[in-house]
Amino acid sequence: MIPVQTLLDRLAAIGADPPGITREAFGAGENAAMALMAETARGLGLDCTVDAGASLSMRWAGTDPSAAPILIGSHLDSVVHGGNFDGAAGVVAGLAAIAALQAEGFRPRASIEVLALRCEEAVWFGLGLIGSRSLLGRLPEGALDLPHARGGQRLGECIAACGGDPRALGRPLRDPRRIGAYVELHIEQAPQLVEAGQPVALCLANPGNVRHPHIRITGEDAHTGLPHRFRHDAALAGAELALALERLWLDEEAARRPMAVTIGRFHTLAERHAMTVVPGAFEMSLDLRAYEAAHLAALEAKLHGLVGAVAARRGVAIDLGPRSAAAPGVMDATILGELAAAARQRALAPPRLNSPGSHDANNFAAAGVPTGMLLIRNRNGSHNPDEAMETDDLMAAVGLLTLWLAGRAGH
């Protein structure tokens, strides 16, 4: 077996940025983590290559070159001051499962590849899942011109600097029809497994999302004594829109249509705000997510209705700005059944849960690749310094993955 705990500790050292972990996409942190994974993979005799999107493939060649490969993937970047395990645990798990199979003398018929996919987190370019989008030809138009949050270097330039070829990203780098399956392991992002007392869960679906990272509301600056009927207050318009979105969320949940609304940025302009000025400009961001494509489309239509109503009522202009989207990821029923059977052999009773987060698995599922996910217990959520995955829980998931791979890649 590979030294799983040592790898996790080395990843933590790479990303150390008190009070948490920062592994900047296409930066020193993600690059060093990629190098560590490649070093580990070569120690297992795996072939390491970098694709045109600068993602890393670590391949254990199967005995049948015609067999469709099995992919195990996740990411190594983090949010700013996040935790050590979001994404990275899944890459380590893939290598650990291969090491376990090798220790048992197993030889796969189909090749098994562990993917370390670039820039899953949307904080770096306002667009997430970039490694899997690049691999599957799902980058939106204009994506290569998006500026990095630190320094402003364009995405295409970042990819080229890390060994990729942005000129090749207008089409899929891999034929989805020639991928046997994709499975991703990820820490749980809500305390459902803590509540259930189980180390691992079978994921049913990941939400898709519609994101507007730079919403701009424009009203009129005015004196604080101005009567209400004369005001065009951009801040109050932002507050009204935020509360309207929360009411929509609660109504949808009451109707048993799961979704989520997140407003991560919400502020007047730093160079303009003052205690005695009615703000004429306000900015916010929006992440709107749901588990079914039709539901997500309906929610987006309702968003536009709310925007129009608030703008008219407040006498302001609301520009939603750039839009990005990720398709929902519904997991493959056959893989779910196979993982459940493997869990029974391991004396595990994993619950079946939706994931609150979108992941690279979404893009594989949307491309028609049979896709599955395992969620690992994590007490304190993710995207914060207090991620609390226990290595024993990760190893329980690795054991389940190992058994599943033996069945899938050995047929």
Side-chain angles (χ1 to χ4, degrees):
M1 289 290 289
I2 62 172
V4 168
Q5 187 60 59
T6 299
L7 280 181
L8 295 173
D9 292 344
R10 291 180 69 183
L11 284 167
I14 285 170
D17 185 18
I21 297 290
T22 303
R23 288 189 289 264
E24 179 181 334
F26 296 101
E30 188 184 54
N31 288 342
M34 290 273 188
L36 174 60
M37 294 300 104
E39 171 193 321
T40 304
R42 292 189 184 101
L44 296 172
L46 309 188
D47 297 322
C48 296
T49 57
V50 173
D51 70 18
S55 292
L56 172 66
S57 168
M58 296 164 279
R59 177 174 173 268
W60 187 18
T63 59
D64 183 355
S66 68
I70 309 299
L71 310 185
I72 310 299
S74 194
H75 64 100
L76 294 167
D77 64 315
S78 76
V79 300
V80 177
H81 294 158
N84 190 39
F85 308 118
D86 184 333
V91 180
V92 172
L95 293 175
I98 286 178
L101 289 170
Q102 290 179 343
E104 295 171 4
F106 178 82
R107 281 298 308 275
R109 185 182 70 85
S111 295
I112 300 172
E113 295 182 42
V114 179
L115 301 180
L117 295 160
R118 287 279 184 177
C119 192
E120 193 261 9
E121 302 292 359
V123 296
W124 301 111
F125 291 94
L127 176 73
L129 315 178
I130 285 173
S132 55
R133 290 179 191 267
S134 298
L135 182 70
L136 297 164
R138 300 179 67 84
L139 279 176
E141 185 177 353
L144 294 175
D145 292 323
L146 291 171
H148 196 289
R150 290 184 172 177
Q153 191 176 26
R154 303 296 174 181
L155 174 59
E157 296 169 336
C158 292
I159 289 172
C162 293
D165 181 4
R167 297 168 301 179
L169 298 181
R171 61 186 185 280
L173 304 178
R174 304 279 290 267
D175 183 350
R177 296 168 298 180
R178 291 293 305 139
I179 298 173
Y182 173 85
V183 170
E184 184 168 344
L185 277 68
H186 202 281
I187 60 170
E188 183 190 20
Q189 294 171 299
Q192 298 173 95
L193 282 171
V194 174
E195 183 179 66
Q198 296 291 331
V200 63
L202 307 182
C203 181
L204 294 172
N206 297 328
N209 62 61
V210 171
R211 287 171 168 162
H212 291 280
H214 299 291
I215 299 173
R216 182 70 180 261
I217 304 176
T218 304
E220 291 181 2
D221 289 347
H223 188 277
T224 50
L226 191 71
H228 190 280
R229 67 184 181 277
F230 298 120
R231 292 193 182 205
H232 303 280
D233 189 320
L236 289 182
E240 182 176 346
L241 179 58
L243 291 173
L245 287 165
E246 185 187 36
R247 284 194 297 273
L248 171 64
W249 184 6
L250 295 174
D251 289 345
E252 293 294 307
E253 282 198 341
R256 299 186 181 279
R257 294 189 292 266
M259 61 163 292
V261 169
T262 301
I263 298 170
R265 292 175 55 248
F266 193 76
H267 56 88
T268 53
L269 305 189
E271 66 273 16
R272 293 287 298 155
H273 62 208
M275 187 171 179
T276 57
V277 175
V278 174
F282 193 82
E283 293 189 354
M284 59 190 288
S285 65
L286 175 64
D287 181 305
L288 184 68
R289 56 185 57 194
Y291 290 90
E292 297 177 0
H295 187 203
L296 191 59
L299 291 172
E300 187 170 15
K302 290 180 180 180
L303 164 66
H304 287 278
L306 292 174
V307 164
V310 171
R313 192 158 43 246
R314 295 283 177 177
V316 301
I318 302 179
D319 180 5
L320 291 175
R323 173 190 183 275
S324 67
V330 178
M331 299 300 108
D332 180 77
T334 299
I335 292 178
L336 272 170
E338 292 169 352
L339 289 171
R344 287 191 293 272
Q345 291 185 57
R346 293 284 183 180
L348 294 171
R352 300 187 178 206
L353 302 172
N354 285 330
S355 169
S358 301
H359 302 285
D360 288 300
N362 289 48
N363 284 324
F364 285 92
V369 177
T371 300
M373 276 195 75
L374 294 173
L375 303 176
I376 305 161
R377 179 165 52 190
N378 167 45
R379 188 169 299 278
N380 297 324
S382 67
H383 290 191
N384 69 73
D386 298 320
E387 291 174 4
M389 181 198 73
E390 298 292 337
T391 303
D392 285 348
D393 291 345
L394 175 62
M395 296 312 298
V398 168
L400 203 166
L401 176 64
T402 302
L403 195 56
W404 178 80
L405 281 171
R408 264 281 173 150
H411 288 164

